[in-house]
Structure formats: structure tokens, C-alpha cells
Amino acid sequence: MSRWEFVGRTDELNRLLAAVTGEAGRGLFFSGSAGIGKSRLLREGVNALPTDRFAIWSIAASATTAALPFGGLVQVLPAEQPQGLSPAGILRWALNVLQQQAAGRRIVLAIDDAHLLDPPSAALVHLVARAENATVLGTLRDGEQIPLPIRALWTDDLVEHVELSPMPQEETAGLLAAILGGPVDSGSADRLGELSAGNPLLLRELVHAASGSAELKRTYGIWKWTGRLELAPNLTDLIDTRVGKLTDGVRAVVELVAFGEPLGLHLLKQAADQADVETAEERGLISVIQHDRRTDVRLAHPLYGEVMRRRCPVSRTRRLQANLAELLEQVGKRRRDDLLRVAVWRLDSGTAQDPALLVDAAVQAFTRYDVPLATRLARAALNADGGSDAAELLATILMFADRPEEAIGVLDTVTPEPGDERRLCRWLTVRGMVSYWGLSRQSTVEEIASRVEQLSDSADRSRVHAFEAIMRLHGMDTATAVRLSQRVLDRPAAGVAARELARSTIAYVQAAQGQLNRSGTAIAQVHSAAANWRTDMPYLQLALELARGTRLMLTGDLAGIDAIVADEFADLAGAGDFRLGTGYLAILQAYAARMRGQSDAAMRTALGACAVLATSRVYAGLAQAERAQAAALRGDAAQATAAMAEADRTHAPGMAVLYPWLEQARGAAIAASGDLPGAVKHLGDLVDRLRADGFAGHEVHVLHDLVRLDQASMPVGPTCSDGGRRTVAQRLAELSERVDGVLPPLLARHARAAVTDSATDLLAVADDYAALELTVYAAEATSQAVQRLRRQHSAAANDARERLAGLLGRCDSIRTPALHAGAPVLTEREWQVARLAAHGAPSRAIAERLYLSARTVENHLQRIYAKLGVTGRAELWAALRSIPGHEGGDAG
């Protein structure tokens, strides 16, 4: 990791190059904090300039040469200077030397750390900038004294002066992926990006500190960082340099903010001397931020807090945290998270003695999906004699931390006493959840059903029935699941959480059955009631997301998927290590990328989901199935097959309701392996199974997979009264009138156009797919149209090929059976000839390059034209670009 690949900064690099190569030829200076990437940006820009057009001198100014006349330009000027010249004469001589060495080329003078230039060197740089055939580039560090001749460069309008901002999050993630040699888990990239504050140098030191330890590991090709920070010597030295020496008072301010941020300014002033607060702000150690009516104080850089907290003695750390808790308790816990902050300070300072405070704080942390913090607080509450409330809460959180055996052990210590119905209700639901989803014990459902009769209270019975219903759903007993859920909704005494859990169960079934409008209404009701159920049952969010995600995928609403993977829950789940949430949302994100033809993003995101869910069996099989789909889209049969094997190994029996996604992925994997008859057989059997289960919402998509495999005329389903069977196209037409949304009629039109061999209708369908961003489907329908037009020798084939090339150009590398079916097969030699001809090379030039005769080249071209269905060179480029895998390759 000695040299990092240059990633990002595209706009800044282009701006720097334009400053040199543009008509105006004005220079450019970047300023910014140490480590922000100024020097690397300057170096990359200079290296990109052609030396035949530009005479380039690169200078690295330093403190060691700052006291020497022309010391900053020692790398440029001759060692011997003429004697007896005045200072102005020496400047003119130095400029003439540069002009002579440039030999007619435009001068480019690039100065790194220009604030360290000695006065004569700074004056010469200013003089060069005024020359008509010269451009000056440079970098400056924030907070440093700048020589007047350099400052005058932009005040005199000779150069532009730009503040280089921190790297944005997406560029930080790209830089991490480049240096680690593979994609990085989004949560890890976010945390490292926040700690480094977009500073590449600090990011480098963070990665160096984590490398080679158990804190940074790779799973399914995805790098993940635990979040535990190793403070390597280089890292602490960098921070020490920035922080500098502190007085006792200023250190106290920085330490208080380190342990309390964001800390209200009024609290900080009560705990520390106001003059020390002002000094800390002036020195850039803390930032005072106004947010609405609040004035908060944070450290100026996240790593300051890491260093200060690590170095603070234990006794002083505890005293500071206890003081913060007392201060906040004195003024009153007015903000939403004040209770949580006080509990954490009390716990960390060893002064937490109120189990009710710890339980309430653990609930609040879990409501925010911060699983590690919630676990810590709930365990502390149990240890502080928090009783069964603390035990049940801790067991619930442990379940979502992938520690179900430990959760069962905690629950078994607080078995309810006979007659305590309220406790039995809570204990049954928590234990049932851990046993069913955590330990995959399917017998749990019947155990819960047999014990619910012990409850006489209607609200308690409703809560247990709601849990039983969703377990029944996941076990594919959908009729019982709906019946129990409806019973809960019909009971006026049922609590809000029980009702909305039951409504989520019904919403999922409705989506699978194709009642997508009713499902959407139910999902909206659950979402609107979130404020009333989240504290009682935060994990209900998973049931809501499963129903909502299933509905969005079945409707083909990619924009809707984009919205839910970017909402507040996604951010909270990612920050709080709520893996079931982040894992499922990653599956949705991979699906959307796949439908858009973004195969690289689909594979990367699917692998990320597999890594996040590696220790949980709830959605692990689903993640592997999406990985198989992404691999099949890329034509990677080996990985698709391996992913399906992993899906079968990790898929929990208690998640049987997800079988449509797994079996649809299996069909794609079989097809990717080249066994099209096997894929058709598998998908046909899946259609029958979905029809028997009443999952019409899923059935339309599997039928469409058969259309994509050119099986629109294939008979499916049972024998009809007339002795025949419906074809795939007929069944899709039938379902398009029963399944809600704009997609089923479009899928039915696709099937009908395929049966009637109508290229015009196929192109119209492709346009409608493209409008929905279903780019893969659009490309496949267009490819089917091209095949038909080519067989018909239609003049419209070339236009269709152009449209197909445009669609493929919007995708990453995709290789599906539908795109390859009927695609022309060229030999390696034919590909060479075709590419050269498409790029305008005449036959004689092609012959010389490939060591062939001109006649042989012409013979190759005639065979190529016949295979592609084109009449000559004018149509050749579009025809090649419409073949999957060509991807606009160059003539080489």
C-alpha cells in the first residue's frame, strides 16, 4: 500500500488541465488543509500534460530552502548565477533561462507548498505568471503565511484560487476500494470517511492501522471494518501536530467535547471557563454549530476525539462523564436523545444505579437500531436488577445481533410465574421469535399456538396471534397467517404494534398474490403508525420492509426501491449495525441495479448483502439468490451455480415464503450454464407451483422469464375444459387483468409480440420497458426485434440495431440467453476484420495489418455482412455494437 491509485477529483483535475490547455491559459492554485490531496492532484495534472507542447518544471518548496535566496527554485535554475546583477537583473536573467530551456514550448511552472517559497523565488514565480507563454500552478496549505508575490497572483487576476474541499463520500469509497483491491462494505466506507473527514492522508493512516488485524477482513470479496480504531504512531503524530500544545483549561474543554459531543454550548460554559472555550474555537479545535434554536459544540475533526478519549486517564474520564450527566440532569432532559446520553455517561462513569433509566435508554437505542449500544445498555440494566423487562429486552436485541443461543439462555432465567399473563405474553413472543428465526426451530409455531389459550386478556392474545401469524406466513401457511392476522385487526383491544404486525403480514400476502394496490394501502397504514409502534416493537420495521420491498420488486418500481434504501431507516440501520435491515435493503438495491443493467453494481451490492448476512440465516439464502441473478446477468455461470449452492445451504426452512425468489434465481443460473431446456423445465414447474399457492404476483415474473427464453408459445398450467392448455402468452394475458400495476400488461404485450413475430410491437414494448428503467428487459425485447428484422431482410433492421446498441451502452457487461439467442457468431479472424472495417480502415490497410491478401479480406467482409444481415460498411459499426460482448471495442 505504498502508493495509492489516484481516484476521484475528476472535476478538479479537469479544471487544472483546462487552466493550462485552455485559450486563456490562466494558472490555478489549490489551497486546503494538510493531507487533503493538493500535492497529489497537482502531480497527476502535471503528469498528464504532453511534454512536446509544454516545458514543465515541478518544484516542491520546503522549510529547509525558505531562508535561501532562490532556494525554492534550486531545482530549476542553474547552479551558477551571474555576478554583479541587481535583484531585478537576476529575476530577468532567471526568466530568460526558463525561456531558453523551454525552446518555444509553453512554460508550465508547478509549485507544491508555494507558501514556503523564499522571497526571491516568490517574486520570480510572479514574474513568470505575467509572461504571455507561461502558466503557473501551485498548492497552498490553509493557515500558513503566504508570500505577497504569491498572494498577488490571484488578486492581480493572473491565476484562479480555489479551495480544495474534502473528498465526497462516494470518492472516499472508491479510494478505499482501489487501495484494498476490492469493494468495501458501505457502512465501513461511511465510518472511515467520517473519521478521515474526506482527508486522503488521514484515510491512508486509518487503513494502515487497520490492515493486518482482525478489525479489517474480507467476506465474499467485500472488505468490512469492525469500527474499532487502532491508533498507530503515524496517526497520533499527525493529530498531535494539528492539535499542538494545550493549556490545562483548553484541554479540559476539548476533553469535555470529546466525551459529550454534540454538547450544548450552554452546558459547556457551565463546565468550563468561557475564555478557554473561546480559545479552543479560535485554534480550530472545536466548532460551534447553530441548528434551529440549538447551539451545539463539536470537535473540529472526528479523530481529535478518538485521540483525546484514548489518552485521557480512566479516573478523569469517569469524572468528566459523571459531570456531564449531572449537568444535563440539572437543566432537564429536554431533547429526544438526552435520556440516552445521560444513561451512557452514567454507565461509562460507573454511576449508573437506576435500572429503569438503563432499560428506557436501551429501548431508545434499539428504536434507533443501534444494536451494539442497545445490547450494552440492556445488559447493564439486567445486571442492575432490571428483572424480566431487562431480560426480555436484552434477549430481543441479542437475537438481532445474531446471538440467538445467548438470547435463549437469558430468557430461561426469567420464566414467568404461573398466573402472570402479561409477562407470559411478552415472554412467549420474544422466546418464539428467537427460537423460530434465530434457531430455525419450526416447532416453535405450534408451541406458541398451544400456549396462547393460557391468556385471557384480549390484547395479550392478539399480540401472540400476530407473532404466530407472521411465523405461519414465513412457513408458507398463508391461509392461517391471513386468518390470524385478520382476527387481530378485528379485535378493538389489540395493541397498535400487534395490529400493524398483522397488517404487515397481510400486506406481504397481498403483494405475492398480485393485489398490489391493496398491499400498498396496507403498507402505507403501517408506515403512518410508526411513531406509535416503534418504541414497543422496533423490529416490526423488518416486516414492513419485507412487505414493501416485495411489492416494489413485483411492481418493477425501481424509483421506489431507490427511495427506501435512502431513507432514515437505512441510515440508522447502517450506523447501528442492524444487519438484517441493512442486508435486506442491500438485496433490494442489488435487484434495482440488475434491472437497470448495472451488472457491476448489482454484483458488488449482492456480495455486500451476502457478507452482512453471513452470520444470519433469515435472509442469507435470499442474498445468495440475488448474487446468483447478478452472476447470471453477467454470464458468469460458475459463480451463479456456486451462489445457488450457498443459497441452498444457508436458506432457513422457516423462511419458506421466499421460495419464489430462490427458484427464479435457480432458473437463471441453469440458463446461464447453457442448459436452456433444463431452465425451461424448471421455470415451467415453478409456474405450476406458484399457481397452486396463489402467488400470481410472482407468477407473472416467472412466466416472463419463459418469454425471455423465447418460450411464449409454451403450454403451461392444467388442462382446460376444451382439452388444451394455456400458453405462456395466454396465461400472462389472463393474469394481466388480475394482477395490479402497469407491468403485468406490459409483460403480456411482450409475450404476444413474441408469438406474433411482430418486430414493431417488440420495439414498442422495449420503449415502455426503457421508460420504467427496466433496461435489461428493453435490450432483450429489442434484440428479439432485431433477430426478426434480420430474418425478414428488413431495411428497419439497422435502426433497430442502433437502438439496441444504445441500450447496451447504458449497461455494464451483460450476457443473457435472450441477448445471445440468434446473435451472429463471428470467428476470431472475422471479429478482427469487422472491427477494423467498422473503424474506417480500407481493405488494403486491413490486409497489411493482418498479413492477409486484399481478396481474403473482401471474402471475410462478405461473410460478415451475411451473418450480420447488413449491406455494407456503413451499417457495420451499429451491427457490431448491438452484439452483447462487443461493447464498442477498439480496432486493435
Side-chain angles (χ1 to χ4, degrees), residues 310 405 641:
R310 296 287 183 91
E405 292 85 359
T641 301

Side-chain angles (χ1 to χ4, degrees), residues 511-534:
Q513 292 176 341
Q515 302 176 58
L516 299 168
N517 293 337
R518 293 180 64 189
S519 176
T521 299
I523 289 166
Q525 286 182 266
V526 179
H527 189 267
S528 65
N532 298 319
W533 55 252
R534 184 159 283 137

Side-chain angles (χ1 to χ4, degrees), residues 49 51 86 144 170 368 473 526 551 591 626 834 854 859:
L49 295 173
T51 55
S86 66
E144 299 288 347
E170 60 272 15
R368 292 166 53 173
L473 167 65
V526 179
R551 177 182 176 275
Y591 174 90
E626 187 54 45
N859 290 338

Side-chain angles (χ1 to χ4, degrees), residues 72-303:
L73 299 181
V74 68
Q75 306 155 58
V76 173
L77 298 176
E80 298 294 330
Q81 298 180 12
Q83 300 297 315
L85 292 179
S86 66
I90 291 178
L91 288 177
R92 285 194 295 272
W93 164 81
L95 180 59
N96 288 334
V97 168
L98 293 180
Q99 295 283 10
Q100 291 170 10
Q101 293 180 359
R105 295 170 296 170
R106 185 172 185 83
I107 293 173
V108 176
L109 189 59
I111 312 103
D112 192 23
D113 287 337
H115 54 278
L116 295 175
L117 286 174
D118 59 280
S121 294
L124 178 56
V125 169
H126 188 95
L127 190 62
V128 171
R130 288 189 173 278
E132 291 185 0
N133 69 327
T135 302
V136 174
L137 307 171
T139 69
L140 301 161
R141 183 181 298 176
D142 286 346
E144 299 288 347
Q145 186 71 32
I146 301 173
L148 287 177
I150 300 300
R151 184 181 297 277
L153 289 174
W154 55 89
T155 59
D156 291 351
D157 201 31
L158 298 174
V159 303
E160 290 184 84
H161 182 210
V162 176
E163 180 73 23
L164 192 61
S165 59
M167 288 185 75
Q169 191 60 47
E170 60 272 15
E171 292 188 3
T172 300
L175 182 56
L176 283 168
I179 193 60
L180 290 171
V184 181
D185 164 67
S186 60
S188 301
D190 288 345
R191 288 193 293 272
L192 285 165
E194 288 168 6
L195 271 176
S196 67
N199 186 299
L201 178 61
L202 291 176
L203 183 67
R204 176 190 181 91
E205 295 304 329
L206 285 169
V207 174
H208 270 303
S211 295
S213 71
E215 313 308 328
L216 185 65
K217 58 184 178 180
R218 199 173 193 177
T219 307
Y220 290 110
I222 305 296
W223 287 99
K224 185 174 178 63
W225 179 54
T226 63
R228 288 187 288 273
L229 181 64
E230 293 292 334
L231 290 180
N234 284 354
L235 193 57
T236 53
D237 289 346
L238 280 171
I239 301 304
D240 287 343
T241 300
R242 291 189 176 198
V243 172
K245 292 184 178 180
L246 303 177
T247 64
D248 290 344
V250 173
R251 177 176 292 279
V253 170
V254 177
E255 287 177 342
L256 279 166
V257 179
F259 287 105
E261 65 177 335
L263 191 62
L265 181 60
H266 65 293
L267 283 180
L268 182 59
K269 288 182 176 178
Q270 290 183 46
D273 185 273
Q274 184 167 339
D276 290 327
V277 174
E278 292 172 357
T279 300
E281 184 181 8
E282 288 171 0
R283 289 187 54 180
L285 300 174
I286 62 173
S287 299
V288 179
I289 304 164
Q290 188 70 36
H291 181 70
D292 294 333
R293 290 179 295 174
R294 301 175 181 175
T295 305
D296 286 334
V297 182
R298 288 185 177 274
L299 291 176
H301 196 287
L303 284 177

Side-chain angles (χ1 to χ4, degrees), residues 224-522:
K224 185 174 178 63
W225 179 54
T226 63
R228 288 187 288 273
L229 181 64
E230 293 292 334
L231 290 180
N234 284 354
L235 193 57
T236 53
D237 289 346
L238 280 171
I239 301 304
D240 287 343
T241 300
R242 291 189 176 198
V243 172
K245 292 184 178 180
L246 303 177
T247 64
D248 290 344
V250 173
R251 177 176 292 279
V253 170
V254 177
E255 287 177 342
L256 279 166
V257 179
F259 287 105
E261 65 177 335
L263 191 62
L265 181 60
H266 65 293
L267 283 180
L268 182 59
K269 288 182 176 178
Q270 290 183 46
D273 185 273
Q274 184 167 339
D276 290 327
V277 174
E278 292 172 357
T279 300
E281 184 181 8
E282 288 171 0
R283 289 187 54 180
L285 300 174
I286 62 173
S287 299
V288 179
I289 304 164
Q290 188 70 36
H291 181 70
D292 294 333
R293 290 179 295 174
R294 301 175 181 175
T295 305
D296 286 334
V297 182
R298 288 185 177 274
L299 291 176
H301 196 287
L303 284 177
Y304 294 174
E306 292 289 340
V307 172
M308 299 302 291
R309 287 189 290 270
R310 296 287 183 91
R311 290 182 169 178
C312 190
V314 173
S315 57
R316 186 159 77 236
T317 293
R318 291 193 166 202
R319 176 175 56 80
L320 288 168
Q321 292 167 327
N323 289 346
L324 286 168
E326 289 168 7
L327 279 171
L328 193 52
E329 287 173 331
Q330 288 171 8
V331 301
K333 299 184 283 290
R334 293 173 292 183
R335 300 184 186 182
R336 187 177 63 177
D337 59 349
D338 282 351
L339 169 72
L340 186 59
R341 288 155 62 80
V342 167
V344 172
W345 287 331
R346 287 293 183 198
L347 183 60
D348 289 344
S349 65
T351 60
Q353 306 191 356
D354 182 358
L357 169 69
L358 293 170
V359 168
D360 290 344
V363 168
Q364 189 173 107
F366 194 32
T367 301
R368 292 166 53 173
Y369 305 105
D370 190 337
V371 173
L373 179 58
T375 304
R376 186 162 164 257
L377 289 165
R379 191 180 300 283
L382 183 62
N383 293 337
D385 298 324
S388 53
D389 284 343
E392 289 162 9
L393 177 59
L394 176 59
T396 302
I397 299 167
L398 287 171
M399 155 68 192
F400 290 98
D402 298 330
R403 295 152 70 180
E405 292 85 359
E406 188 178 348
I408 287 291
V410 170
L411 286 171
D412 287 345
T413 65
V414 290
T415 304
E417 297 291 332
D420 189 346
E421 291 193 9
R422 177 189 171 277
R423 183 60 56 208
L424 177 61
C425 166
R426 296 277 173 166
W427 187 84
L428 271 178
T429 53
V430 175
R431 201 177 198 286
M433 176 173 60
V434 175
S435 177
Y436 185 81
W437 283 290
L439 300 176
S440 297
R441 294 175 182 166
Q442 293 177 274
S443 60
T444 303
V445 185
E446 299 304 331
E447 293 169 8
I448 283 184
S450 66
R451 298 193 67 176
V452 72
E453 301 306 322
Q454 300 175 30
L455 302 172
S456 59
D457 183 80
S458 181
D460 290 342
R461 290 169 67 93
S462 294
R463 188 181 183 91
V464 178
H465 276 143
F467 272 88
E468 181 189 349
I470 198 163
M471 290 178 194
R472 299 270 186 196
L473 167 65
H474 288 164
M476 271 306 295
D477 186 357
T478 53
T480 305
V482 171
R483 176 173 55 78
L484 286 171
S485 297
Q486 195 58 56
R487 183 188 300 179
V488 172
L489 293 174
D490 290 342
R491 279 186 183 149
V496 173
R499 294 175 64 84
E500 301 314 320
L501 181 59
R503 204 184 312 276
S504 296
T505 298
I506 291 175
Y508 184 95
V509 175
Q510 288 171 334
Q513 292 176 341
Q515 302 176 58
L516 299 168
N517 293 337
R518 293 180 64 189
S519 176
T521 299

